[in-house]
Amino acid sequence: MELTAEEIAQNYTAMGHSVDLLNAGKPEDMEDADWTDTVARNVEHLELMVAKDYWTTEDMTAVNAAIAANT
């Protein structure tokens, strides 16, 4: 299934949200175990998405840095 440019843009935006969440760090009111799960889910999401073959000129620097910093 081929994605539209709008769908690709939405996916890139979602990746940015994961990067922002990871970069913000654990919220004070979150349990450590919940944060560990949140990090794992978001890193997995980023790893799966960055491997997609439909990216063209999108900058993956922040995505790759967030993956590296949290694995």
Side-chain angles (χ1 to χ4, degrees):
M1 176 177 123
E2 193 167 321
L3 297 179
T4 66
E6 181 179 323
E7 290 168 324
I8 292 170
Q10 288 172 346
N11 287 345
Y12 187 71
T13 297
M15 290 172 65
H17 293 159
S18 286
V19 168
D20 291 344
L21 177 78
L22 292 169
N23 288 343
K26 183 176 93 59
E28 289 182 23
D29 61 346
M30 183 180 274
E31 297 291 330
D32 288 346
D34 291 337
W35 176 245
T36 298
D37 290 342
T38 297
V39 169
R41 281 193 314 274
N42 281 273
V43 167
E44 180 180 19
H45 165 70
L46 292 175
E47 288 173 335
L48 290 170
M49 293 306 294
V50 79
K52 299 293 183 186
D53 64 0
Y54 51 69
W55 303 117
T56 55
T57 61
E58 295 83 2
D59 184 358
M60 298 295 175
T61 304
V63 174
N64 290 322
I67 291 170
N70 291 281
T71 53

